[in-house]
Amino acid sequence: MTTLKASEEGLVKIKQARRERGSTIEDPKWLVEASQKLEPDRTWTEAGPYADGLSLPTWRRFLAGREPIKANAFKAFCTVLQLNWEEIVDRPPVAPSYQGRVGKVRDCCQQPIDAVVEEIRQKCHSKIQQLYSKMQLLDIAQPVDVSNLYVEVNILEEITSWQPGEISDLLRDFNPDADNFNRLGLGKVRQKRVSGLDAVKYHSKLMVLGKPGSGKTTFLKHIAIQCDRSEFEAHKIPIFISLKTFAEIANLDLLEYISDEFASCGVEARSQTESVLSQGRGLILLDGLDELPESDSDAVVRQIRQFVQKYYNNQFIITCRIAAAKYRFHDEAFTCVEVADFTCEQTAAFAKNWFAAFSQNLEAGKALASQFIETLTLQKNQQIRELAVTPILLNLTCLVFQAKADFPSNRAKLYEEGMEIMLRKWDETRGIQRDEVYRDLNYSRKQHLLAFVAAITFEHGDYFFEKNTVQELIADYLANLPDATTDRVHLEMDSEVVLKAIETQHGLLVERARGIYSFSHLTFQEYFTAIEIVNNSDPQVLEKLVSHLTEKRWREVLLLAIGMLEKADDLLLLIKQQVDALVADDEQLQQFLLWVNKKSLSVDFPYKPAAVRAFYFTLEYPLLDCGFALSLDPYLKKVVGQALEQVLNLALEGALDLALNTVLKDALEPTLGYIRLTIERTLVPNLDLVLDCHLVPSLKPEQRQAIQELLQQLPDPKSDKEIFAKWWQDNGQAWDKRLRQMMILYRDLGRVWQFSEEEKSLLRKYYNANKLLVCCLNSGCNVSPAVRQEIEGTLLLPIANLQKTDDKCARPV
């Protein structure tokens, strides 16, 4: 039941009224009269029982005003003293903007709580919808409805950084040297994901932790809107409180703050607020515990604890960045959960919502969203896909894609925008002034510090590192700053604070398990490593980078460094020299490259010479990816519909070579059905074409006749399977041998290259290094036309031809 007490002004009026009545404080007639006023139908005597709450001690407390008494007793005493209880009751002042409002405060204790809740919900509806139904995204002018963009949040019920673990455990699914290297393994989560709304249903007190930009505030706004629309916890009142805003008021009092919020919506009685909270009908959403200035955090947390303990039967949700969660609220029985990164399905859902919200029309938005999702899933965009797992960075990727319906070929520029958001813009746009211990580190120095840490750890192959290790690196960097202290103990203390600041404010370094850190994404470590290399003026640094050319884990660093350089000519030429040097001393491999070049010159293809060399390289050594030729010739890429073979069929010389080589390769397979299919679909159509139309001028009449006779020996591949199988068993080996002889004699194909295992490995490294070089050329880097032409013109050439090219270039004009 509600309690009331008199204000200071009210006490003066009570004393004056008592003196006017001329009665002593001990006179029991006051209690009889008060009881009769309270329950007039009953007959009271001085010796009889008094109405509930009426007693001499209660009367004394009423006169003294030291503590509240039951509301019915308070009103009865005021009546016998001929006082208006509303004029003497102690209550908080009305919000300034509502001073002077006319009207009586209703007696809420006489109202059913459901009616009070419904009344407040209706009065607060407009404010909730206007303040919390919209969200503002970075670099987008107009706000968007939360419901139009929101994607259901998943949470992890175990905080990953609080779990014990070893680096060896984290590396279990992370092997950068494997062929099927899973870059996303760096952040792989093994525990089950749970719906965020389900977690709210299961836990009355929830602390939601997450990385910067992981969607914590949007999650709370979504809950507030759903509750306000009676779609979630419809019997409660959503109360959204920005803790940063709350900390700015003079006197920290959550009850008073909530009462004022209600008063701004027309709920004038503080007693109604207390009644609602006492009955546990509040859904209290406290946002941004990490956004509090250090000077205010202890006081705000103390106020939250007191409030939760007093109004314990309400529902509470607090959000905080995971690294800033130093307050666990153990005594208040809060359950801590972590916001999970987006799954592929959530990423797709966000993209569909985003493009629908920010496109000129719905159909155009749907089409662009589908194109975005399809492009993001391409292998070449795996690094971008790796980053687009939080709303803040996914918004950036959608915004970049919207401009050209594609991602930039130079990914370094996209990552640079991402770092600008993480290191500076995210807090600035939210008006957060954090107490930075490393305030002397401006944006540039923060980048340099992260680059320093990334380059050393990446060079050593350390994707995960102990806390002490990264703190030592930070201390080394701080020690080299101007006017830095030389006291190592002081540096170590500063390094610990700086590490926590980077983790809390930017989310770029994260605690993977207790005491074990890494960059939040492998791409960030690669990006900052590339920055460190590019910013180093020592030319030997680039030479060292190129020495890692054949190591898969250095591929992205190399590509990013190429994209960051103001002029990439020197680095590209260094890579080209390193590529050619891989096979320069192997005579067998040089013979193979001589044959590739000779064969490419023997046919008339409408493509760049390097593309033709790539075709014959992979034709003769089929374990390699023949799609390489596509990236060597822009015209070839435009013409190709599905596969390289279909394009090369336009050139009959290539079609003949491809058909003969395919059948020869497949003839070695043990499955007759596969051989029949190859002959039916590849050899017969192509041979019929070139033999009937006589469109391959390099074939002499007798050669054409010999091939035709060999083809005629084959039974019809569409004929009875048993007939074909019997013929192949009796004649297949001899027919295959004759085909090989013809290929070598007529087409210079089908040689048996006696490569050792070491040479095969070296040949694959050489081929992949050439592919990487072509990727560098096509990465949007700043390369001069002359260097581009020189590199493209000499790809896959043997050393002998390269030397001739160099001699030709060295001749005086």
Side-chain angles (χ1 to χ4, degrees):
M1 183 178 293
T2 306
T3 58
L4 302 173
K5 74 172 184 175
S7 64
E8 293 296 327
E9 296 83 358
L11 286 174
V12 174
K13 292 182 179 180
I14 290 173
K15 291 177 181 178
Q16 182 178 354
R18 185 169 60 83
R19 285 196 299 269
E20 291 175 354
R21 296 295 297 268
S23 181
T24 65
I25 194 171
E26 307 296 332
D27 193 342
K29 76 175 185 179
W30 290 103
L31 301 181
V32 174
E33 186 176 349
S35 300
Q36 291 174 338
K37 295 290 184 183
L38 187 63
E39 298 186 43
D41 295 334
R42 293 186 62 177
T43 301
W44 297 92
T45 65
E46 294 183 2
Y50 300 120
D52 183 32
L54 301 184
S55 65
L56 191 57
T58 304
W59 168 246
R60 289 171 176 168
R61 290 201 303 273
F62 169 78
L63 295 178
R66 291 191 300 270
E67 55 184 293
I69 63 175
K70 291 182 178 181
N72 58 353
F74 183 93
K75 294 173 184 177
F77 290 145
C78 289
T79 301
V80 297
L81 289 176
Q82 299 179 354
L83 294 173
N84 185 341
W85 73 270
E86 293 179 350
E87 294 177 356
I88 69 169
V89 71
D90 181 26
R91 62 178 178 233
V94 180
S97 59
Y98 283 84
Q99 286 180 355
R101 179 183 294 272
V102 179
K104 293 184 179 181
V105 179
R106 71 177 67 236
D107 184 1
C108 68
C109 63
Q110 300 298 324
Q111 268 189 300
I113 187 63
D114 289 341
V116 176
V117 168
E118 185 58 32
E119 179 185 346
I120 296 177
R121 281 175 59 89
Q122 290 179 6
K123 289 183 176 181
C124 293
H125 170 77
S126 178
K127 182 174 184 178
I128 292 173
Q129 292 299 318
Q130 290 188 42
L131 292 185
Y132 308 125
S133 65
K134 300 283 186 180
M135 60 187 298
Q136 189 76 51
L137 300 181
L138 279 174
D139 298 326
I140 296 178
Q142 70 272 29
V144 61
D145 284 342
V146 171
S147 57
N148 289 343
L149 195 61
Y150 179 78
V151 174
E152 185 61 51
V153 167
N154 286 337
I155 60 98
L156 307 174
E157 293 184 311
E158 295 180 5
I159 311 302
T160 53
S161 61
W162 297 355
Q163 307 304 312
E166 302 290 338
I167 291 179
S168 57
D169 298 330
L170 296 171
L171 286 171
R172 189 178 303 147
D173 298 317
F174 185 76
N175 182 9
D177 297 320
D179 289 335
N180 59 344
F181 170 40
N182 177 19
R183 294 173 52 85
L184 295 177
L186 182 63
K188 188 172 182 179
V189 175
R190 296 183 178 87
Q191 61 173 295
K192 181 182 178 182
R193 299 166 185 258
V194 178
S195 164
L197 284 179
D198 286 344
V200 174
K201 293 176 184 176
Y202 298 151
H203 304 287
S204 63
K205 297 177 180 62
L206 203 62
M207 190 164 186
V208 179
L209 308 176
K211 294 178 290 190
S214 59
K216 301 181 295 296
T217 298
T218 306
F219 178 53
L220 282 198
K221 286 186 175 182
H222 174 72
I223 291 174
I225 295 300
Q226 292 294 97
C227 180
D228 182 61
R229 294 175 179 173
S230 299
E231 296 174 7
F232 180 77
E233 300 288 1
H235 63 294
K236 295 181 180 178
I237 301 172
I239 304 168
F240 187 100
I241 300 174
S242 166
L243 291 176
K244 173 179 171 293
T245 303
F246 172 67
E248 293 171 354
I249 64 177
N251 298 314
L252 296 179
D253 188 317
L254 270 173
L255 177 60
E256 183 176 344
Y257 186 87
I258 294 172
S259 296
D260 288 347
E261 285 290 297
F262 284 175
S264 69
C265 300
V267 182
E268 297 184 2
R270 173 172 174 154
S271 57
Q272 286 188 311
T273 303
E274 292 191 70
S275 178
V276 166
L277 295 175
S278 297
Q279 295 293 324
R281 302 298 286 273
L283 175 57
I284 301 167
L285 311 171
L286 305 172
D287 185 46
L289 185 63
D290 60 282
E291 298 177 1
L292 295 170
E294 190 67 27
S295 57
D296 296 329
S297 59
D298 287 343
V300 172
V301 168
R302 185 165 52 251
Q303 177 64 208
I304 292 173
R305 283 190 166 133
Q306 292 172 355
F307 189 85
V308 172
Q309 288 171 358
K310 183 174 182 180
Y311 300 105
Y312 59 88
N313 53 350
N314 289 274
Q315 190 162 10
F316 294 87
I317 307 175
I318 305 174
T319 66
C320 183
R321 290 187 182 180
I322 190 166
K326 63 179 180 179
Y327 301 107
R328 304 285 175 85
F329 296 98
H330 290 307
D331 295 339
E332 294 77 16
F334 270 81
T335 299
C336 293
V337 297
E338 179 180 351
V339 177
D341 287 343
F342 276 175
T343 62
C344 294
E345 292 76 15
Q346 287 173 307
T347 298
F350 183 96
K352 291 176 182 177
N353 293 345
W354 194 97
F355 286 104
F358 297 111
S359 296
Q360 294 181 349
N361 61 72
L362 184 60
E363 291 304 317
K366 288 181 179 179
L368 198 55
S370 297
Q371 190 175 351
F372 171 87
I373 296 167
E374 182 179 352
T375 306
L376 190 64
T377 57
L378 296 177
Q379 179 63 31
K380 68 176 183 178
N381 293 322
Q382 183 179 4
Q383 291 75 27
I384 298 176
R385 187 167 68 250
E386 176 184 337
L387 297 183
V389 292
T390 57
I392 185 175
L393 293 176
L394 188 49
N395 171 63
L396 171 64
T397 55
C398 290
L399 192 62
V400 169
F401 189 88
Q402 188 182 46
K404 296 183 178 179
D406 200 358
F407 297 116
S409 54
N410 188 347
R411 289 197 296 269
K413 296 188 180 299
L414 175 62
Y415 301 157
E416 183 179 355
E417 291 186 48
M419 291 307 100
E420 174 84 3
I421 290 173
M422 302 300 287
L423 288 174
R424 182 162 56 192
K425 291 173 69 173
W426 185 234
D427 275 356
E428 285 183 357
T429 56
R430 292 158 64 89
I432 300 172
Q433 298 293 329
R434 300 186 184 274
D435 294 323
E436 299 187 12
V437 177
Y438 69 141
R439 65 177 66 253
D440 291 336
L441 297 181
N442 56 25
Y443 174 63
S444 177
R445 282 185 175 171
K446 289 176 184 177
Q447 276 200 320
H448 290 162
L449 168 58
L450 289 164
F452 177 77
V453 173
I456 293 176
T457 54
F458 193 86
E459 173 72 29
H460 294 160
D462 296 335
Y463 303 101
F464 304 94
F465 26 83
E466 301 284 350
K467 182 179 181 180
N468 290 339
T469 301
V470 68
Q471 284 184 199
E472 288 177 7
L473 292 175
I474 294 173
D476 290 342
Y477 177 84
L478 297 177
N480 290 311
L481 292 177
D483 303 322
T485 179
T486 57
D487 183 355
R488 194 65 191 181
V489 174
H490 188 72
L491 284 171
E492 289 176 358
M493 293 173 61
D494 285 349
S495 69
E496 183 174 7
V497 176
V498 168
L499 173 60
K500 181 56 66 175
I502 293 174
E503 183 184 9
T504 302
Q505 297 178 27
H506 315 310
L508 295 173
L509 288 173
V510 296
E511 194 171 8
R512 294 292 182 184
R514 198 173 300 157
I516 299 176
Y517 281 77
S518 78
F519 280 84
S520 56
H521 295 289
L522 174 58
T523 296
F524 290 155
Q525 190 176 15
E526 293 167 335
Y527 172 78
F528 284 115
T529 299
I531 286 180
E532 183 72 5
I533 291 170
V534 169
N535 289 341
N536 198 311
S537 58
D538 187 350
Q540 291 184 347
V541 173
L542 291 183
E543 294 177 4
K544 187 175 182 180
L545 172 63
V546 172
S547 70
H548 297 295
L549 181 66
T550 60
E551 299 176 45
K552 290 179 182 178
R553 72 186 195 91
W554 283 90
R555 182 180 188 277
E556 289 306 310
V557 176
L558 191 60
L559 283 167
L560 289 170
I562 288 282
M564 292 176 187
L565 288 168
E566 293 184 7
K567 191 172 183 181
D569 287 8
D570 291 342
L571 182 53
L572 287 168
L573 289 173
L574 277 175
I575 296 172
K576 182 64 170 66
Q577 293 171 11
Q578 182 73 10
V579 170
D580 294 331
L582 288 173
V583 295
D585 298 328
D586 191 295
E587 184 176 350
Q588 177 82 339
L589 297 183
Q590 286 298 310
Q591 289 297 319
F592 175 69
L593 293 179
L594 284 167
W595 172 84
V596 168
N597 187 48
K598 176 185 175 183
K599 186 63 183 173
S600 67
L601 295 174
S602 69
V603 296
D604 184 17
F605 275 2
Y607 311 121
K608 288 183 178 180
V612 183
R613 289 195 292 271
F615 168 69
Y616 278 106
F617 193 112
T618 55
L619 188 68
E620 192 71 359
Y621 197 66
L623 295 178
L624 299 170
D625 175 21
C626 62
F628 177 26
L630 291 176
S631 61
L632 297 173
D633 195 301
Y635 175 73
L636 195 62
K637 184 176 289 186
K638 291 178 182 178
V639 174
V640 67
Q642 287 114 9
L644 177 64
E645 291 85 348
Q646 291 175 314
V647 176
L648 292 175
N649 281 344
L650 299 174
L652 294 178
E653 292 278 356
L656 178 60
D657 289 341
L658 180 64
L660 292 170
N661 195 75
T662 302
V663 172
L664 182 63
K665 179 185 69 174
D666 291 344
L668 303 177
E669 297 286 338
T671 306
L672 286 177
Y674 195 67
I675 297 171
R676 292 175 71 249
L677 192 63
T678 302
I679 292 173
E680 177 186 348
R681 296 187 178 179
T682 304
L683 182 62
V684 174
N686 284 292
L687 284 181
D688 284 346
L689 183 66
V690 298
L691 294 174
D692 291 346
C693 299
H694 308 287
L695 294 177
V696 182
S698 60
L699 277 179
K700 297 177 181 180
E702 61 271 19
Q703 295 174 343
R704 194 183 314 278
Q705 182 178 354
I707 294 175
Q708 193 168 22
E709 289 175 355
L710 184 66
L711 181 62
Q712 290 172 349
Q713 294 177 16
L714 283 170
D716 185 355
K718 297 180 181 179
S719 64
D720 188 275
K721 294 181 180 179
E722 294 183 2
I723 295 175
F724 184 88
K726 180 66 169 61
W727 183 92
W728 190 263
Q729 184 177 1
D730 296 339
N731 305 289
Q733 188 173 2
W735 189 89
D736 177 66
K737 182 178 180 181
R738 179 60 181 153
L739 176 62
R740 183 179 294 277
Q741 290 173 346
M742 286 185 177
M743 288 173 62
I744 295 174
L745 184 61
Y746 301 161
R747 305 299 305 164
D748 196 16
L749 286 172
R751 296 188 183 190
V752 179
W753 298 94
Q754 300 293 336
F755 294 140
S756 66
E757 291 302 319
E758 183 179 352
E759 285 174 327
K760 290 178 182 178
S761 175
L762 189 57
L763 191 63
R764 178 173 286 277
K765 287 182 178 180
Y766 171 76
Y767 181 79
N768 288 334
N770 274 283
K771 286 181 66 175
L772 178 55
L773 179 54
V774 172
C775 288
C776 290
L777 284 173
N778 297 333
S779 65
C781 63
N782 186 8
V783 53
S784 66
V787 169
R788 179 182 290 277
Q789 183 177 359
E790 177 184 346
I791 292 175
E792 288 184 345
T794 57
L795 286 168
L796 300 174
L797 279 179
I799 294 297
N801 292 78
L802 289 174
Q803 291 172 343
K804 291 178 182 179
T805 303
D806 292 340
D807 292 342
K808 183 178 180 181
C809 293
R811 293 173 188 170
V813 179

